[in-house]
Amino acid sequence: DVQLVESGGGSVQTGGSLRLSCAVSGNPYRTYCMGWFRHPPGKLREGVASIESDGTTTYKDSVKGRFIISVDNSKTTLYLQINNLTLEDTGTYYCGLDRGCASLFYGDSGHWGQGTQVTVS
């Protein structure tokens, strides 16, 4: 079974930093896309960053320069470094995995974690 488990969320003051982690097991894809999404309170869930199996990274414009997505050498842990946190970064952060970024971001398939809460004050 594919499992994704996020961790690293918490409460932090504006300007601070957090590193979110996502432990991935049972990845069935030879080529794939992993991504981070956030669900701000009262708003729709949005994708913020992705990394493909060839290392290509993509970011939502509003987080460029502050968010860094990466994966460890074993490709079993996905990270999201968030710097200079703002109030707008508050939300539940989810990691996702699918065979491609198009399906991950715009389709209804994919594998997801349970989320980790980030609260900025």
Side-chain angles (χ1 to χ4, degrees):
D1 288 353
V2 181
Q3 288 192 327
L4 291 86
V5 180
E6 301 95 338
S7 61
S11 296
V12 63
Q13 293 186 335
T14 55
S17 298
L18 278 177
R19 188 174 80 157
L20 307 181
S21 299
C22 172
V24 181
S25 60
N27 184 355
Y29 309 117
R30 185 174 63 86
T31 59
Y32 52 84
C33 177
M34 295 185 189
W36 285 98
F37 297 73
R38 67 184 177 191
H39 194 171
K43 298 182 180 180
L44 297 175
R45 189 176 71 175
E46 59 182 2
V48 294
S50 67
I51 185 166
E52 298 176 66
S53 48
D54 66 357
T56 301
T57 57
T58 305
Y59 296 92
K60 180 179 172 64
D61 284 347
S62 62
V63 307
K64 285 179 180 178
R66 295 194 302 118
F67 286 26
I68 302 171
I69 189 171
S70 62
V71 64
D72 71 349
N73 289 338
S74 66
K75 309 295 179 70
T76 59
T77 305
L78 179 70
Y79 300 102
L80 185 68
Q81 177 70 37
I82 309 175
N83 299 318
N84 194 19
L85 280 151
T86 71
L87 297 176
E88 288 70 33
D89 294 324
T90 293
T92 305
Y93 283 71
Y94 300 88
C95 59
L97 166 69
D98 207 338
R99 62 180 72 250
C101 287
S103 55
L104 181 64
F105 281 78
Y106 305 111
D108 58 3
S109 61
H111 307 274
W112 300 91
Q114 81 293 347
T116 186
Q117 179 66 35
V118 173
T119 302
V120 185
S121 60

Short mmCIF file of all heavy atoms in Angstrom, two decimals, residues 72-97:
data_model
loop_
_atom_site.label_atom_id
_atom_site.label_comp_id
_atom_site.label_asym_id
_atom_site.label_seq_id
_atom_site.Cartn_x
_atom_site.Cartn_y
_atom_site.Cartn_z
N ASP A 72 14.81 13.42 -0.27
CA ASP A 72 16.09 12.82 0.13
C ASP A 72 16.58 11.85 -0.94
O ASP A 72 15.88 11.54 -1.89
CB ASP A 72 15.97 12.15 1.50
CG ASP A 72 15.12 10.88 1.48
OD1 ASP A 72 14.46 10.61 0.46
OD2 ASP A 72 15.12 10.17 2.49
N ASN A 73 17.81 11.40 -0.77
CA ASN A 73 18.44 10.56 -1.80
C ASN A 73 17.68 9.26 -2.04
O ASN A 73 17.66 8.73 -3.15
CB ASN A 73 19.88 10.25 -1.42
CG ASN A 73 20.78 11.47 -1.55
OD1 ASN A 73 20.47 12.40 -2.28
ND2 ASN A 73 21.89 11.47 -0.83
N SER A 74 17.05 8.75 -1.01
CA SER A 74 16.31 7.50 -1.15
C SER A 74 14.93 7.70 -1.74
O SER A 74 14.21 6.73 -1.99
CB SER A 74 16.18 6.80 0.20
OG SER A 74 15.38 7.57 1.07
N LYS A 75 14.56 8.98 -1.94
CA LYS A 75 13.26 9.33 -2.51
C LYS A 75 12.10 8.82 -1.64
O LYS A 75 10.99 8.59 -2.12
CB LYS A 75 13.09 8.78 -3.94
CG LYS A 75 14.24 9.11 -4.87
CD LYS A 75 14.32 10.60 -5.10
CE LYS A 75 15.48 10.96 -6.02
NZ LYS A 75 15.27 10.53 -7.39
N THR A 76 12.34 8.71 -0.34
CA THR A 76 11.29 8.25 0.56
C THR A 76 10.83 9.32 1.53
O THR A 76 9.89 9.09 2.30
CB THR A 76 11.74 7.01 1.36
OG1 THR A 76 12.91 7.35 2.12
CG2 THR A 76 12.04 5.84 0.43
N THR A 77 11.50 10.47 1.52
CA THR A 77 11.06 11.57 2.37
C THR A 77 11.06 12.86 1.55
O THR A 77 12.06 13.24 0.96
CB THR A 77 11.97 11.75 3.59
OG1 THR A 77 12.04 10.52 4.32
CG2 THR A 77 11.39 12.83 4.51
N LEU A 78 9.91 13.48 1.53
CA LEU A 78 9.71 14.74 0.84
C LEU A 78 9.73 15.86 1.88
O LEU A 78 9.18 15.69 2.97
CB LEU A 78 8.36 14.72 0.12
CG LEU A 78 7.92 15.96 -0.65
CD1 LEU A 78 8.79 16.15 -1.89
CD2 LEU A 78 6.45 15.85 -1.03
N TYR A 79 10.35 16.96 1.53
CA TYR A 79 10.45 18.08 2.46
C TYR A 79 9.86 19.35 1.85
O TYR A 79 9.83 19.52 0.63
CB TYR A 79 11.91 18.36 2.82
CG TYR A 79 12.62 17.22 3.47
CD1 TYR A 79 13.50 16.41 2.74
CD2 TYR A 79 12.44 16.93 4.82
CE1 TYR A 79 14.16 15.35 3.34
CE2 TYR A 79 13.10 15.88 5.43
CZ TYR A 79 13.96 15.10 4.69
OH TYR A 79 14.62 14.06 5.30
N LEU A 80 9.44 20.23 2.72
CA LEU A 80 9.08 21.58 2.31
C LEU A 80 9.64 22.55 3.36
O LEU A 80 9.19 22.55 4.50
CB LEU A 80 7.57 21.77 2.20
CG LEU A 80 7.15 23.14 1.66
CD1 LEU A 80 7.55 23.29 0.18
CD2 LEU A 80 5.63 23.35 1.81
N GLN A 81 10.65 23.28 2.97
CA GLN A 81 11.21 24.31 3.83
C GLN A 81 10.43 25.60 3.58
O GLN A 81 10.32 26.05 2.44
CB GLN A 81 12.69 24.53 3.51
CG GLN A 81 13.36 25.63 4.30
CD GLN A 81 13.54 25.29 5.77
OE1 GLN A 81 13.82 24.13 6.12
NE2 GLN A 81 13.37 26.27 6.64
N ILE A 82 9.89 26.15 4.65
CA ILE A 82 9.11 27.38 4.54
C ILE A 82 9.81 28.46 5.36
O ILE A 82 9.97 28.31 6.57
CB ILE A 82 7.67 27.22 5.05
CG1 ILE A 82 7.00 26.00 4.43
CG2 ILE A 82 6.86 28.46 4.76
CD1 ILE A 82 5.61 25.72 4.99
N ASN A 83 10.24 29.51 4.69
CA ASN A 83 10.95 30.60 5.35
C ASN A 83 10.11 31.86 5.35
O ASN A 83 9.19 32.01 4.55
CB ASN A 83 12.28 30.86 4.64
CG ASN A 83 13.20 29.66 4.67
OD1 ASN A 83 13.33 28.99 5.69
ND2 ASN A 83 13.84 29.38 3.54
N ASN A 84 10.44 32.75 6.27
CA ASN A 84 9.76 34.05 6.35
C ASN A 84 8.23 33.87 6.32
O ASN A 84 7.53 34.46 5.50
CB ASN A 84 10.21 34.95 5.20
CG ASN A 84 9.81 36.39 5.40
OD1 ASN A 84 9.52 36.81 6.53
ND2 ASN A 84 9.78 37.14 4.32
N LEU A 85 7.74 33.07 7.25
CA LEU A 85 6.32 32.74 7.29
C LEU A 85 5.45 33.99 7.44
O LEU A 85 5.80 34.92 8.18
CB LEU A 85 6.04 31.78 8.44
CG LEU A 85 6.38 30.32 8.13
CD1 LEU A 85 6.77 29.58 9.40
CD2 LEU A 85 5.21 29.65 7.45
N THR A 86 4.33 33.98 6.75
CA THR A 86 3.35 35.05 6.84
C THR A 86 2.02 34.48 7.33
O THR A 86 1.82 33.26 7.35
CB THR A 86 3.13 35.74 5.48
OG1 THR A 86 2.43 34.84 4.61
CG2 THR A 86 4.46 36.12 4.83
N LEU A 87 1.11 35.36 7.71
CA LEU A 87 -0.20 34.91 8.18
C LEU A 87 -0.92 34.09 7.11
O LEU A 87 -1.69 33.17 7.44
CB LEU A 87 -1.05 36.11 8.58
CG LEU A 87 -0.54 36.95 9.74
CD1 LEU A 87 -1.45 38.16 9.96
CD2 LEU A 87 -0.43 36.13 11.02
N GLU A 88 -0.66 34.43 5.84
CA GLU A 88 -1.33 33.74 4.74
C GLU A 88 -0.84 32.30 4.57
O GLU A 88 -1.41 31.54 3.79
CB GLU A 88 -1.13 34.51 3.44
CG GLU A 88 -1.93 35.81 3.35
CD GLU A 88 -1.42 36.88 4.29
OE1 GLU A 88 -0.19 36.93 4.52
OE2 GLU A 88 -2.24 37.68 4.80
N ASP A 89 0.23 31.95 5.24
CA ASP A 89 0.73 30.57 5.16
C ASP A 89 -0.01 29.63 6.10
O ASP A 89 0.21 28.42 6.07
CB ASP A 89 2.23 30.53 5.48
CG ASP A 89 3.07 31.26 4.46
OD1 ASP A 89 2.72 31.21 3.26
OD2 ASP A 89 4.06 31.90 4.86
N THR A 90 -0.87 30.16 6.93
CA THR A 90 -1.65 29.33 7.85
C THR A 90 -2.55 28.38 7.07
O THR A 90 -3.19 28.77 6.10
CB THR A 90 -2.51 30.20 8.78
OG1 THR A 90 -1.66 30.94 9.65
CG2 THR A 90 -3.46 29.36 9.61
N GLY A 91 -2.57 27.13 7.50
CA GLY A 91 -3.43 26.15 6.85
C GLY A 91 -2.95 24.74 7.13
O GLY A 91 -1.94 24.54 7.81
N THR A 92 -3.70 23.79 6.60
CA THR A 92 -3.30 22.39 6.68
C THR A 92 -2.51 22.05 5.43
O THR A 92 -2.96 22.32 4.33
CB THR A 92 -4.51 21.46 6.81
OG1 THR A 92 -5.30 21.86 7.92
CG2 THR A 92 -4.06 20.02 6.99
N TYR A 93 -1.33 21.48 5.63
CA TYR A 93 -0.44 21.16 4.52
C TYR A 93 -0.46 19.66 4.27
O TYR A 93 -0.33 18.86 5.20
CB TYR A 93 0.99 21.63 4.83
CG TYR A 93 1.16 23.12 4.66
CD1 TYR A 93 0.58 24.00 5.55
CD2 TYR A 93 1.89 23.64 3.59
CE1 TYR A 93 0.71 25.38 5.39
CE2 TYR A 93 2.04 25.00 3.43
CZ TYR A 93 1.45 25.87 4.34
OH TYR A 93 1.60 27.23 4.18
N TYR A 94 -0.65 19.31 3.01
CA TYR A 94 -0.72 17.92 2.59
C TYR A 94 0.36 17.63 1.57
O TYR A 94 0.69 18.48 0.73
CB TYR A 94 -2.07 17.63 1.92
CG TYR A 94 -3.28 17.85 2.79
CD1 TYR A 94 -3.89 19.10 2.85
CD2 TYR A 94 -3.82 16.81 3.53
CE1 TYR A 94 -5.00 19.32 3.65
CE2 TYR A 94 -4.94 17.01 4.32
CZ TYR A 94 -5.52 18.27 4.37
OH TYR A 94 -6.63 18.47 5.16
N CYS A 95 0.87 16.42 1.59
CA CYS A 95 1.75 15.98 0.52
C CYS A 95 0.99 14.99 -0.36
O CYS A 95 0.08 14.29 0.12
CB CYS A 95 3.03 15.35 1.05
SG CYS A 95 2.81 13.91 2.12
N GLY A 96 1.34 14.97 -1.62
CA GLY A 96 0.67 14.10 -2.58
C GLY A 96 1.66 13.46 -3.51
O GLY A 96 2.78 13.95 -3.71
N LEU A 97 1.24 12.35 -4.10
CA LEU A 97 2.06 11.59 -5.03
C LEU A 97 1.18 11.06 -6.15
O LEU A 97 0.10 10.51 -5.90
CB LEU A 97 2.71 10.41 -4.30
CG LEU A 97 3.35 9.31 -5.14
CD1 LEU A 97 4.60 9.83 -5.82
CD2 LEU A 97 3.65 8.08 -4.30
#
